[in-house]
């Protein structure tokens, strides 16, 4: 049984209310991206700074939280979340905090902006103890996260949301490595690709239940543009690209051989992809595939990070 949608009566505690408004269950994908970045730095021969790692993780999670909150606000502004009757909660259709009266739209906007402001100020401090290049990485990540749904860019409405998600999570890996290394390197970029693509698949499959509401609100992402029957094959192609790149990177010597252990996530992607092919136009039946897609990215990220740490011991 899926959890009930939030209500003000059930969330009388303000701290809990604002915490849950960030959709914390989805922040784990940022945690794993940071772990991959720390892993590439460690594999690169660096002794990790625990204080910098903790600060990096905290800011990355706050940034993702702010993006989630602002996305809820802008989806309310566009009307898509109010129009969404086929959502599969808690995976799709937003947090439902605004629609169910838990927070007002203005409270949500102020909250999201506040989270962004905290990240921006603290990020400047972190760049000061690391290297100036972190400013560009952080600013790029915040911009992509904001412009994903905010006008005038509304990148997801223009069919650019999917690659934006991949870019955003690649930047988390690269930034986590950069804070430790103080310089750019090829290794974190190579390590980020397969994971970022699998996170991109989370967005793609989540758009199937939301397709009709998004189309009515003018949110023309890939699933709307291609239609469910054609877009369903995109999931498999993205999965093949993710795993194919990992194999190619190991073969080319960009990543250590231990990283192939992350291929253990292949069955989860395959099972979710098969279910999507069969039920692309039946949102309620997609719930298991939505969960498996998150699990595939999570397992992949954890194993990839672990492989990098283990490889440093060889």
């Amino acid at each position: 049984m899926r959890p009930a949608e939030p209500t003000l009566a059930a969330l009388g505690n303000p701290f809990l209310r604002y915490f849950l408004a960030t959709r914390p269950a989805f922040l784990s994908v940022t945690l794993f991206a940071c772990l991959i970045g720390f892993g590439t730095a460690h594999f690169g021969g660096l002794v990790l700074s625990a204080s910098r790692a903790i600060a990096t993780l905290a800011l990355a999670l706050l940034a993702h939280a702010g993006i989630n909150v602002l996305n809820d606000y802008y989806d309310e502004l566009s009307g898509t979340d109010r129009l969404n009757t086929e959502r599969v909660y808690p995976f799709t259709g937003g947090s439902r905090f605004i629609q169910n009266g838990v927070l007002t739209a203005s409270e949500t906007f102020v909250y999201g902006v506040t989270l962004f402001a905290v990240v921006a100020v603290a990020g400047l401090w972190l760049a000061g103890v690391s290297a100036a290049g972190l400013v560009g990485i952080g600013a790029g990540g915040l911009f992509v996260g904001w412009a994903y749904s905010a006008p005038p860019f509304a990148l997801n409405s223009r069919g650019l949301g999917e690659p934006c998600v991949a870019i955003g999570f690649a930047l988390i890996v690269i930034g986590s490595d950069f804070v430790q290394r103080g310089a750019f390197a090829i290794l974190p970029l190579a390590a980020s690709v397969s994971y970022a693509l699998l996170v991109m698949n989370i967005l793609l499959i989540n758009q199937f239940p939301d397709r009709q509401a998004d189309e009515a609100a003018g949110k023309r992402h890939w699933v709307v543009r291609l239609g469910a029957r054609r877009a369903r094959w995109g999931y498999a192609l993205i999965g093949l690209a993710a795993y194919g790149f990992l194999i190619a990177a190991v073969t080319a010597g960009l990543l250590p051989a231990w990283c192939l252990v992350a291929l253990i996530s292949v069955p989860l992607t395959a099972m979710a992809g098969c279910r999507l092919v069969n039920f692309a136009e039946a949102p309620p039946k997609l719930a298991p595939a939505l969960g498996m897609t998150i699990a595939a990215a999570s397992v992949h990220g954890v194993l990839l990070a672990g492989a990098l740490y283990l490889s440093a011991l060889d």
Side-chain angles (χ1 to χ4, degrees):
M1 179 181 294
R2 292 195 295 274
E5 292 190 3
T7 63
L8 184 58
L11 295 174
N13 184 314
F15 175 81
L16 181 62
R17 185 160 65 240
Y18 278 92
F19 173 69
L20 293 179
T22 67
R23 306 185 77 184
F26 292 90
L27 302 185
S28 60
V29 287
T30 290
L31 165 64
F32 303 138
C34 288
L35 292 180
I36 295 170
F38 300 151
T40 58
H42 186 58
F43 178 71
L46 297 173
V47 177
L48 298 183
S49 165
S51 59
R52 290 187 187 185
I54 292 170
T56 301
L57 178 58
L59 291 182
L61 290 173
L62 283 176
H64 189 173
I67 290 167
N68 284 351
V69 172
L70 286 178
N71 182 64
D72 270 353
Y73 170 75
Y74 288 114
D75 278 353
E76 167 67 9
L77 210 62
S78 71
T80 181
D81 282 350
R82 286 202 176 271
L83 293 170
N84 196 330
T85 59
E86 295 191 306
R87 60 188 179 272
V88 181
Y89 186 82
F91 300 107
T92 80
S95 71
R96 313 306 299 171
F97 271 56
I98 299 175
Q99 294 73 36
N100 295 355
V102 181
L103 291 175
T104 66
S106 60
E107 287 171 336
T108 302
F109 177 73
V110 170
Y111 184 32
V113 169
T114 300
L115 290 171
F116 262 46
V118 170
V119 172
V121 173
L124 289 174
W125 165 81
L126 189 57
V129 300
S130 176
L134 184 64
V135 174
I137 298 172
L142 287 177
F143 173 78
V144 166
W146 170 75
Y148 171 84
S149 54
F153 297 98
L155 297 175
N156 198 33
S157 298
R158 303 175 190 275
L160 297 173
E162 294 83 356
C164 279
V165 165
I167 291 169
F169 279 89
L171 286 173
I172 296 172
V173 175
I174 293 167
S176 299
D177 176 279
F178 186 93
V179 170
Q180 300 291 329
R181 192 186 301 268
F184 292 100
I186 293 296
L187 179 61
L189 175 60
S192 72
V193 173
S194 60
Y195 182 69
L197 288 172
L198 291 181
V199 176
M200 179 177 166
N201 250 354
I202 296 175
L203 172 65
L204 182 70
I205 196 169
N206 282 3
Q207 290 171 341
F208 282 83
D210 297 346
R211 175 175 57 92
Q212 292 189 20
D214 287 346
E215 184 172 15
K219 195 173 178 181
R220 295 185 54 76
H221 47 64
W222 289 2
V223 178
V224 168
R225 290 168 185 267
L226 295 172
R229 296 190 65 80
R230 283 190 292 176
R232 60 183 175 167
W233 300 109
Y235 184 94
L237 291 174
I238 293 170
L240 286 171
Y243 296 119
F245 182 89
L246 177 63
I247 294 169
V250 170
T251 302
L254 294 174
L255 295 174
W258 269 109
C259 289
L260 292 176
V261 73
L263 294 175
I264 287 175
S265 62
V266 168
L268 287 167
T269 298
M271 288 188 292
C274 288
R275 192 167 188 91
L276 177 61
V277 167
N278 290 326
F279 301 114
E281 296 178 300
K285 295 183 178 180
L286 284 178
L290 302 177
M292 283 188 283
T293 301
I294 296 173
S298 300
V299 169
H300 189 84
V302 169
L303 293 178
L304 187 56
L308 288 162
Y309 291 115
L310 285 175
S311 298
L313 301 176
D314 291 344

